[in-house]
């Protein structure tokens, strides 16, 4: 009986979690030292290194002399590494991040002898719908999963089918997941008995034939001494995971099918609270991914000079590292969260540096005083962009046509007006720079020394020329400047420029955006603010949503993994005061500020009034209640409507002074299902979630860029938790908790980790969220394009050159499909797209050749082009990579 068992020794290495990265790395080095020594001494020893190259990289940074030892074992087929760079959380990063993770892991593994050809996903908190297609398009023909598998699966293998129809043979890890064989060898004198129990359990899943997979390992575990001997005594054999799966066909015919995402709670906890905890980390991740994916790479690919590959590689490496399933999730200790946030910030900074390098080169062709405007979208846009301009003159484009503008704010002109020793004032001058601007002139009159300053240097300046005798007063005046909203036409992934010219006046009287009292209207959408601060939205085609934007605060005595309401929860959704203040009245932008004051419950031990080190959390209790006292919390919401946009922008901000609570924004949505975008797919979900394992199966789900239900869509800047409940769409703005895991979580009987305080996860201090609401008719018409516009602002850069405005220039346009990536690969442009339905994608640019490629960038068939146009039929939800030159 025991000969039917294949033992796969491994470790599951959480790179950072309840200890920060470097502390865990010390243990990793000791473990791999032992593994390498043991494998070299015992030629039958095999080991699977958790499917992620990060383990190898982290080890070799400390032990670089052991690289050849690792490579030799990989080439022998006894040590399995990769294919991932890091074991990610699939829902808390972009689809492109998933692809780059796999690409990086496989390419690095190739240098050490080759990646394990298995999409090993052992501990992710559920799985995205497109993972089968991603794996297959990278050349990986097997998947292996644990969490999220539905109760319909009653075998240890199934066909996992992506939305486009791609199916992959998937090994399920029942009866203990990646540690289902961890207890086989605990007692050498009980090997036979333990094997008999193991075989009996696993035969229920495998059936009467075939070898049984025993995953021998668990979190941060090292192999037991004498393992090959015990395996031999048992009559079993030892192998890697890829060695075990090599015995199975990659064909999926005859296997039970599971379609789409895997987010069932039936077989294992999927710990959905990680979607909303430490929301600032999710915000930063979304912002950094957009900066690298949609600004830095495409702009450098189309408009840059030498490809800044090393900078972009460093940015991606940090984004991939941050995507770890105990990293961006926020379910580690506070020190871990701090390191993750720092990594994400560095990725964004690298992306900004590349973006600015390219745009500064383009801006050098735009005369000083003008502004370069860049479009990050693969289609032409006519949109509102904010410009900082000198003077009050009208604005024109390169053709001389008047650009509609609306003044939003005038900059202060009087920077200093004080009695002062003029020598002191002159000590402020550095070359021509004074107060961050450049001296454009000076005068002395009746004891007053007056400087005029401007953003750009225009005259030479010599301190010695200024007569200081009798001067007792100094004044600094800045040139008149204003911030304006301008309505600008910009080509696809291209750029244009505008500038003010003397004469005439600016205006935008024909654009129809206006604010009257508590009503905003732009012809496409009408927004009215009610007495309680909620909104009534009415679209051009008559879709009406009443009561949108209701803020609901409730208790949360869960932890970083799972929300849990207190036994005596008190929901607060009615403000004690609402004040509405006009901001802009049109004609391009209209806005109102809505200030709502709430009384949120707290207890004296939880109220935050000082810095992080002064925070005090409640003692651990099984199910603590909400405090009976209350504190005033002001929630400010900027409600903004722009010309040409069918959605209203909301900027919600409040100072979180309370602990152990959840704040959600509710929007009426009477629907039985929701539709949410994320990771190359739009997923349809119902009002319930399948349970069965232990945790309460709350129907809270992630949305990456938008979620739609019942005729209204919420457009979001980062992965956001939502729930359809009580006829409303509830979006989580904040989940404030104080423990990594609570032993007594009311909605999860079993701890998800150690009970360690995480005071920073209370997220005290300022919380700021940007989103948009859009009523729609039919099958979510226009929502995808609206999300693209909302999430990717036009970019304005001050001109630094001379001469006339350059002509507008188009980069690359894509229609019929959604662009997800554009970069350089050697002398080719590499474009990735996903189709939202059966379609013909049309790509237009300045290229003469085209070819398909897989997700690793390896070229495939040539494609026919004509006149810089590629027409490519695509099936619904197909991910296609093409290379152009």
């Amino acid at each position: 009986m025991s000969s039917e068992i294949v033992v796969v020794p491994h470790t599951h290495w959480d790179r950072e979690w309840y200890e920060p990265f470097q502390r865990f790395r010390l243990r990793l080095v000791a473990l791999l030292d032992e593994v390498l020594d043991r494998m070299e001494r015992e030629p039958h020893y095999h080991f699977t290194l958790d499917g992620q190259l990060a383990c190898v990289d982290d080890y070799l940074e400390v032990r670089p002399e052991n690289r050849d030892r690792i490579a030799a074992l990989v080439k022998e087929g006894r040590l399995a590494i990769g294919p991932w760079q890091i074991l990610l959380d699939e829902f808390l990063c972009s689809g492109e991040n998933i692809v780059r993770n796999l690409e990086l892991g496989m390419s690095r593994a190739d240098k050490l002898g080759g990646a394990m050809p298995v999409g090993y996903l052992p501990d992710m908190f559920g799985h995205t719908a497109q993972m089968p297609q991603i794996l297959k398009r990278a050349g990986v023909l097997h998947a292996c999963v644990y969490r999220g598998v539905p109760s319909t699966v009653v075998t240890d293998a199934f066909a996992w089918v992506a939305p486009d129809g791609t199916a992959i043979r998937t090994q399920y890890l029942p009866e203990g997941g990646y540690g289902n064989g961890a207890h086989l060898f605990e007692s050498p004198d009980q090997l036979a008995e333990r094997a008999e129990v193991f075989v009996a359990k696993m035969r229920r899943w495998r059936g009467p034939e075939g070898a049984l997979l025993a995953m021998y390992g668990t979190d941060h575990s090292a192999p037991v001494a004498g393992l090959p001997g015990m395996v031999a005594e048992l009559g079993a054999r030892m192998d890697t995971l890829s060695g075990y799966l090599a015995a199975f066909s990659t064909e999926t015919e005859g296997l039970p099918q599971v379609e789409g995402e895997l987010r069932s709670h039936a077989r294992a906890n999927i710990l959905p609270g990680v979607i909303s905890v430490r929301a600032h980390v999710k915000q930063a991740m979304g912002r950094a991914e957009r900066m690298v994916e949609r600004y830095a790479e495409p702009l450098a690919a189309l408009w840059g000079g030498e490809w800044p590959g090393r900078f972009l590689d460093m940015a991606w490496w940090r984004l991939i590292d941050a995507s770890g399933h105990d990293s961006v999730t926020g379910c580690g200790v506070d020190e871990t969260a701090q390191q993750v946030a720092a990594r994400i910030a560095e990725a964004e900074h690298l992306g900004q540096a590349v973006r600015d390098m390219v745009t500064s080169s383009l801006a050098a062709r735009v005369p000083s005083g003008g502004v370069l405007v860049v479009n990050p979208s693969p289609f032409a846009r006519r949109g509102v962009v904010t410009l900082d301009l000198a003077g009050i003159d009208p604005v024109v484009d390169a053709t001389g046509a008047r650009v509609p503008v609306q003044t939003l704010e005038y900059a202060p002109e009087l920077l200093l007006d004080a009695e002062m020793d003029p020598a002191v004032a002159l000590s402020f001058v550095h070359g021509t720079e004074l107060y961050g601007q450049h001296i454009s002139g000076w005068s002395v009159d009746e004891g007053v020394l007056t400087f005029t300053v401007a953003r750009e240097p225009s005259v030479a300046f010599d301190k010695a020329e200024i007569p200081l005798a009798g001067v007792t007063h100094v004044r600094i005046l800045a040139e008149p400047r204003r911030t304006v909203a301008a309505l600008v036409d910009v080509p696809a992934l291209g750029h244009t420029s505008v500038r003010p010219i003397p004469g005439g006046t600016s205006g935008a009287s024909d654009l129809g955006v206006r604010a009257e009292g508590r009503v905003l209207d732009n012809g496409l959408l009408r927004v009215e603010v009610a007495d309680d601060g909620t909104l009534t939205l009415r679209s051009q085609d008559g879709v009406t949503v009443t009561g949108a934007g209701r803020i609901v605060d409730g208790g949360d005595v869960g932890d970083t993994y799972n929300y849990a309401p207190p036994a005596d929860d008190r929901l607060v959704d009615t403000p004690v005061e609402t004040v509405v203040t006009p901001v802009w009245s049109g004609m391009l932008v209209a806005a109102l500020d809505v200030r709502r004051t709430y009384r949120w419950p707290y207890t004296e031990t939880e109220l935050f009034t000082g810095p992080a080190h002064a925070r005090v959390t409640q003692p651990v209790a099984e199910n603590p209640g909400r405090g009976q006292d209350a504190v005033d919390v002001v929630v400010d919401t900027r409600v903004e409507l722009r010309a040409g946009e069918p959605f209203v922008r909301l900027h919600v901000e409040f100072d979180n002074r309370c602990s152990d609570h959840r704040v959600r924004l509710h929007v009426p949505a009477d629907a039985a299902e929701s539709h949410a975008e994320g990771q190359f797919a739009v997923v349809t979900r119902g009002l319930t979630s399948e349970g069965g394992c232990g945790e309460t199966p709350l129907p809270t789900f992630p949305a990456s860029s938008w979620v739609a239900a019942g005729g209204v869509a919420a457009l979001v800047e980062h992965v956001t938790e939502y729930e359809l409940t009580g006829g409303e769409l509830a979006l989580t703005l904040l989940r404030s908790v104080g423990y990594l895991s609570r032993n007594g979580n009311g909605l999860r009987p079993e701890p998800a980790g150690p009970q360690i305080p995480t005071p920073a996860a209370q997220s005290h201090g300022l919380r700021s969220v940007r989103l948009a609401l859009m009523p729609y008719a039919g099958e979510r018409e226009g929502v995808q394009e609206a999300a693209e516009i909302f999430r990717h602002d036009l970019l304005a850069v001050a001109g630094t050159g001379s001469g006339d405005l350059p002509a507008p220039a188009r980069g690359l346009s894509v229609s019929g499909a959604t662009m997800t990536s554009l970069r350089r690969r050697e002398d080719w442009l590499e474009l990735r797209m996903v189709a939202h339905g059966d379609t013909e994608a049309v790509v237009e640019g300045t290229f003469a050749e085209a070819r398909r490629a897989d997700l690793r960038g390896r070229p495939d068939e040539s494609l026919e082009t004509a006149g810089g146009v590629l027409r490519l039929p695509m099936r619904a939800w197909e991910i296609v990579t093409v290379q152009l030159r």
Side-chain angles (χ1 to χ4, degrees):
M1 187 188 317
S2 301
S3 62
E4 302 167 297
I5 300 174
V6 176
V7 178
V8 174
H10 75 100
T11 187
H12 175 54
W13 199 262
D14 298 298
R15 192 170 186 246
E16 52 196 356
W17 179 23
Y18 59 82
E19 289 187 1
F21 163 57
Q22 296 295 358
R23 294 183 63 173
F24 270 145
R25 171 147 71 172
L26 196 69
R27 295 163 58 178
L28 172 70
V29 171
L31 182 146
L32 289 186
D33 281 345
E34 179 184 351
V35 168
L36 294 182
D37 289 346
R38 193 178 301 280
M39 294 184 77
E40 289 170 341
R41 287 196 310 267
E42 304 179 48
H44 296 295
Y45 211 105
H46 291 66
F47 199 78
T48 297
L49 197 47
D50 205 30
Q52 53 179 336
L53 253 291
C55 296
V56 178
D57 290 333
D58 296 343
Y59 177 75
L60 289 180
E61 191 173 10
V62 178
R63 298 272 195 267
E65 67 276 11
N66 287 343
R67 185 186 186 281
D68 290 344
R69 296 175 68 193
I70 288 175
L73 292 167
V74 172
K75 291 171 183 175
E76 289 177 24
R78 294 200 289 134
L79 179 63
I81 60 173
W84 300 102
Q85 178 62 29
I86 203 163
L87 291 182
L88 68 162
D89 185 283
E90 300 170 35
F91 293 97
L92 286 172
C93 63
S94 68
E96 192 60 31
N97 198 329
I98 297 174
V99 171
R100 302 300 179 94
N101 187 337
L102 193 56
E103 177 188 338
L104 180 61
M106 296 186 80
S107 64
R108 291 182 62 74
D110 284 347
K111 296 173 184 177
L112 291 167
M116 176 173 69
V118 179
Y120 186 52
L121 304 163
D123 198 30
M124 289 69 167
F125 308 148
H127 305 284
T128 57
Q130 288 279 36
M131 187 57 75
Q133 185 179 181
I134 291 171
L135 292 173
K136 275 208 161 179
R137 287 188 179 276
V140 179
L141 304 182
H142 287 275
C144 183
V145 301
Y146 166 43
R147 301 184 190 273
V149 174
S151 61
T152 53
V153 173
V154 294
T155 60
D156 69 348
F158 61 93
W160 185 9
V161 185
D164 77 316
T166 299
I168 190 169
R169 185 194 183 278
T170 303
Q171 184 72 34
Y172 172 45
L173 300 174
E175 304 292 346
Y178 55 84
N180 72 334
H183 304 298
L184 268 175
F185 304 101
E186 282 185 346
S187 302
D189 58 342
Q190 297 180 3
L191 287 179
E193 293 87 341
R194 288 177 179 269
E196 185 175 356
V197 171
F198 177 83
V199 169
K201 285 195 304 183
M202 296 303 295
R203 279 288 167 223
R204 295 198 295 266
W205 298 91
R206 174 94 284 265
E209 303 294 333
L212 304 176
L213 175 61
M215 296 293 290
Y216 178 66
T218 187
D219 296 354
H220 305 122
S221 63
V224 68
L227 182 61
M230 287 189 283
V231 171
E233 181 182 341
L234 197 59
R237 68 180 176 89
M238 188 185 295
D239 211 331
T240 60
L241 179 60
S242 51
Y244 171 80
L245 291 176
F248 297 95
S249 169
T250 59
E251 297 299 321
T252 59
E253 186 176 352
L255 292 174
Q257 287 196 353
V258 178
E259 297 183 354
E261 70 176 5
L262 305 180
R263 286 193 64 86
S264 170
H265 308 250
R267 304 293 193 198
N269 293 336
I270 64 168
L271 311 169
V274 300
I275 299 296
S276 52
V277 77
R278 302 190 198 266
H280 65 284
V281 175
K282 280 71 172 177
Q283 274 183 308
M285 186 70 157
R287 192 170 57 242
E289 286 177 330
R290 288 198 307 279
M291 180 57 62
V292 176
E293 293 175 20
R294 297 301 309 278
Y295 290 92
E297 279 194 336
L299 291 180
L302 292 168
W303 303 108
E306 182 181 353
W307 178 243
R310 187 64 187 130
F311 287 99
L312 293 168
D313 288 346
M314 288 190 294
W316 273 114
W317 204 306
R318 284 157 177 78
L319 288 173
I320 291 165
D321 278 354
S323 73
H325 69 287
D326 292 306
S327 301
V328 69
T329 46
C331 57
V333 292
D334 290 344
E335 293 88 346
T336 292
Q338 290 165 1
Q339 291 180 337
V340 172
R343 250 179 250 139
I344 294 170
E346 284 193 7
E348 184 180 13
H349 298 160
L350 285 160
Q352 290 169 339
V354 171
R355 176 202 65 185
D356 293 348
M357 177 184 68
V358 176
T359 57
S360 64
S361 174
L362 294 174
R365 308 172 198 172
V366 177
S368 177
V371 180
L372 171 77
V373 182
V374 179
N375 178 10
S377 299
F379 52 83
R381 281 172 59 175
R382 186 172 204 239
V384 173
V385 61
T386 302
L387 308 178
D388 177 22
L389 300 175
I392 57 173
D393 294 320
V395 178
V396 298
D397 63 17
T399 69
R402 191 70 60 87
V403 174
V405 300
Q406 171 191 337
T407 298
L408 304 178
E409 185 179 24
Y410 289 98
E413 295 182 31
L414 182 61
L415 305 183
L416 177 70
D417 189 11
E419 298 290 331
M420 182 179 291
D421 181 344
V424 173
L426 287 176
S427 72
F428 300 161
V429 178
H430 305 281
T432 64
E433 186 271 328
L434 175 63
Y435 272 34
Q437 300 192 50
H438 293 273
I439 295 172
S440 57
W442 60 269
S443 65
V444 176
D445 185 28
E446 296 184 357
V448 179
L449 170 59
T450 300
F451 292 102
T452 56
V453 296
R455 296 286 176 88
E456 302 294 334
S458 59
V459 297
F461 174 70
D462 185 353
K463 295 180 184 181
E465 294 180 358
I466 298 179
L468 302 183
V471 173
T472 61
H473 198 101
V474 177
R475 182 179 294 135
I476 303 175
L477 299 176
E479 67 174 345
R481 295 195 73 86
R482 57 178 174 151
T483 300
V484 305
L487 189 65
V488 181
D489 294 289
V490 197
L493 284 168
H495 56 85
T496 189
S497 54
V498 299
R499 71 185 303 180
I501 58 168
T505 59
S506 301
S509 58
D510 61 338
L511 294 166
V513 183
R514 60 182 58 86
E516 296 178 356
R518 292 186 172 190
V519 176
L520 308 178
D521 198 325
N522 68 355
L524 299 175
L525 183 64
R526 185 181 189 274
V527 182
E528 183 172 3
V529 181
D531 290 343
D532 63 355
T534 60
L535 311 177
T536 296
L537 314 177
R538 182 177 178 82
S539 69
Q540 189 178 36
D541 48 16
V543 178
T544 302
V545 180
T546 302
R550 189 167 64 95
I551 301 294
V552 181
D553 171 71
D556 186 348
V557 293
D559 49 41
T560 64
Y561 290 102
N562 293 80
Y563 160 80
D568 61 344
D569 198 8
R570 289 191 291 144
L571 299 181
V572 178
D573 65 351
T574 303
V576 296
E577 183 183 35
T578 301
V579 178
V580 180
T581 305
V583 182
W584 300 307
S585 59
M587 296 298 176
L588 292 176
V589 181
L592 300 169
D593 277 345
V594 180
R595 168 163 288 192
R596 288 174 280 183
T597 303
Y598 296 87
R599 297 282 292 166
W600 285 355
Y602 78 98
T603 62
E604 286 294 339
T605 56
E606 74 174 30
L607 183 63
F608 171 57
T609 58
H613 66 266
R615 296 171 188 169
V616 180
T617 57
Q618 294 175 309
V620 183
E622 284 298 312
N623 194 344
R626 295 208 79 182
Q628 296 305 305
D629 297 319
V631 62
D632 283 351
V633 176
V634 173
V635 178
D636 286 320
T637 305
R638 170 70 54 88
V639 183
E640 180 180 326
L641 203 55
R642 297 182 181 181
E645 293 184 348
F647 52 85
V648 59
R649 296 169 181 261
L650 306 180
H651 180 194
V652 183
E653 194 169 78
F654 56 91
D655 181 8
N656 178 38
R657 301 177 60 200
C658 302
S659 300
D660 297 327
H661 68 130
R662 180 179 68 176
V663 183
R664 302 205 287 187
L665 184 143
H666 287 235
V667 182
D670 188 10
E673 60 185 20
S674 62
H675 312 275
E677 189 279 336
Q679 296 82 34
F680 304 114
V682 173
V683 179
T684 300
R685 300 165 175 138
L687 299 176
T688 61
S689 189
E690 183 184 35
C693 175
E695 67 187 356
T696 300
L698 298 179
T700 54
F701 301 105
S704 290
S705 66
W706 58 264
V707 55
V712 64
L715 317 179
V716 295
E717 289 191 330
H718 61 279
V719 178
T720 299
E721 177 188 83
Y722 76 89
E723 180 182 7
L724 269 182
T725 176
E728 293 184 308
L729 177 65
L731 303 164
T732 304
L733 304 182
L734 171 78
R735 204 167 70 79
S736 178
V737 297
Y739 287 91
L740 187 150
S741 173
R742 280 185 187 266
N743 293 341
N745 187 304
L747 299 189
R748 189 198 64 239
E750 181 183 4
Q755 186 167 277
I756 299 175
T758 54
Q762 296 286 7
S763 298
H764 292 134
L766 187 66
R767 175 76 178 119
S768 180
V769 184
R770 297 181 188 273
L771 66 148
L773 299 178
M774 175 181 169
Y776 65 86
E779 294 295 318
R780 304 176 295 283
E781 186 175 340
V783 171
Q784 181 66 34
E785 181 175 322
E788 165 71 24
I789 291 169
F790 170 70
R791 288 165 53 84
H792 304 104
D793 287 335
L794 299 176
L795 182 63
V797 183
T800 59
S802 59
D804 297 328
L805 292 176
R810 185 187 70 177
L812 192 77
S813 71
V814 179
S815 60
T818 297
M819 184 188 88
T820 65
S821 171
L822 180 66
R823 60 171 162 172
R824 283 275 173 194
R825 192 184 288 275
E826 297 175 348
D827 60 341
W828 294 80
L829 272 179
E830 185 173 276
L831 168 69
R832 190 147 29 249
M833 307 174 286
V834 62
H836 284 227
D838 293 332
T839 188
E840 180 183 67
V842 180
V843 183
E844 298 181 70
T846 56
F847 54 86
E849 297 179 71
R851 66 189 186 191
R852 285 183 180 266
D854 69 4
L855 287 186
R856 297 184 62 188
R858 297 176 299 190
D860 197 349
E861 63 175 329
S862 296
L863 298 170
E864 184 177 341
T865 67
V869 178
L870 169 66
R871 298 183 180 276
L872 188 64
M874 294 177 66
R875 65 180 182 275
W877 304 114
E878 182 181 9
I879 303 167
V880 168
T881 305
V882 295
Q883 295 173 342
L884 313 165
R885 70 176 180 186

